[in-house]
Amino acid sequence: LCRQRQIEVYILLWENVEQIEPLKSEWTQKHLQHLNPKIHVMRHSSPLLDGNTHHQKFLVVDHREAFVGGLDLCLHRWDTDAHSLRDDNPLSPLFPGKDFYNPLYIHDKDPDYTRPYDCDYQGLDRSIHPRMPWHDVMVRISGSAAYDVSRNFVQRWNFIRSSNTLFLRDSTFPSLEYPKEDD
């Protein structure tokens, strides 16, 4: 999409503490930025610094449409409305590879996330262990409310950018302009 429409993509990514929650945010940042030079990713970690946490999740498209909710867009968070605990059909798994997740049974100290759907976590046996189900809600917002969500993103981006001298010196992290309501 970036190549076709010449759009810029800006992502604020939670900079997690790997010892607490191994989400691989640094790997994710590098992977996304290498997909296209028009993808800009900043990681941030301090809810005390800017009053935001990684639980504020949203996507804004052209300032006109927004999707807001608590859903983590990452491995092991996808689920169905059935919230199945079992997925032991090796020929056709519903939750392939590392999407089948339960941290109580995982023995991997440094799992390979470069090919997340090729193999399960070490120690997690689908025929014995349950997976951890997820339930979350997101909502689609249009019009002036989506514009407000867009302004919130611009505020967060610019605040985090101005709070870190590395971002200020790097032209790949430009200061964003507030959208015009009629855009």
Side-chain angles (χ1 to χ4, degrees):
L1 190 61
C2 292
R3 288 183 201 109
Q4 294 169 352
R5 292 187 51 208
Q6 299 298 312
I7 62 170
E8 302 281 331
V9 175
Y10 299 92
I11 300 170
L12 287 175
L13 189 63
W14 177 251
E15 184 176 0
N16 63 294
V17 178
E18 287 295 317
Q19 292 82 358
I20 297 171
E21 180 79 33
L23 298 176
K24 303 293 183 195
S25 66
E26 184 176 9
W27 180 88
T28 302
Q29 177 186 28
K30 289 176 182 175
H31 177 75
L32 290 171
Q33 289 178 157
H34 283 97
L35 291 175
N36 190 295
K38 294 186 175 290
I39 298 176
H40 313 276
V41 182
M42 283 195 297
R43 292 187 312 143
H44 68 101
S45 62
S46 178
L48 300 175
L49 177 65
D50 65 3
N52 299 297
T53 72
H54 67 292
H55 293 285
Q56 186 180 25
K57 300 168 185 110
F58 52 86
L59 168 75
V60 181
V61 180
D62 294 334
H63 313 297
R64 291 181 177 91
E65 301 288 328
F67 299 85
V68 179
L71 185 65
D72 291 326
L73 302 175
C74 64
L75 278 173
H76 16 93
R77 298 301 200 275
W78 180 79
D79 208 344
T80 69
D81 57 357
H83 306 297
S84 291
L85 298 177
R86 295 184 54 113
D87 184 21
D88 53 5
N89 181 348
L91 300 176
S92 180
L94 183 59
F95 303 96
K98 291 178 176 54
D99 256 347
F100 189 88
Y101 179 74
N102 189 326
L104 296 175
Y105 304 103
I106 295 174
H107 301 267
D108 283 348
K109 295 297 179 207
D110 191 22
D112 180 10
Y113 288 105
T114 58
R115 298 171 57 151
Y117 302 109
D118 289 351
C119 62
D120 291 349
Y121 288 102
Q122 291 178 18
L124 186 58
D125 184 343
R126 291 171 184 260
S127 65
I128 300 170
H129 303 126
R131 65 176 284 278
M132 190 160 73
W134 293 92
H135 182 78
D136 219 321
V137 177
M138 293 200 79
V139 64
R140 178 181 174 191
I141 300 170
S142 300
S144 61
Y147 166 80
D148 288 341
V149 174
S150 182
R151 284 184 58 86
N152 178 250
F153 180 84
V154 169
Q155 288 169 342
R156 289 183 64 203
W157 176 275
N158 288 342
F159 180 83
I160 292 164
R161 181 184 174 275
S162 68
S163 301
N164 188 322
T165 56
L166 294 175
F167 295 143
L168 287 172
R169 289 184 286 211
D170 190 336
S171 63
T172 59
F173 303 108
S175 179
L176 299 180
E177 299 290 325
Y178 287 112
K180 296 178 182 69
E181 195 153 8
D182 58 342
D183 277 351

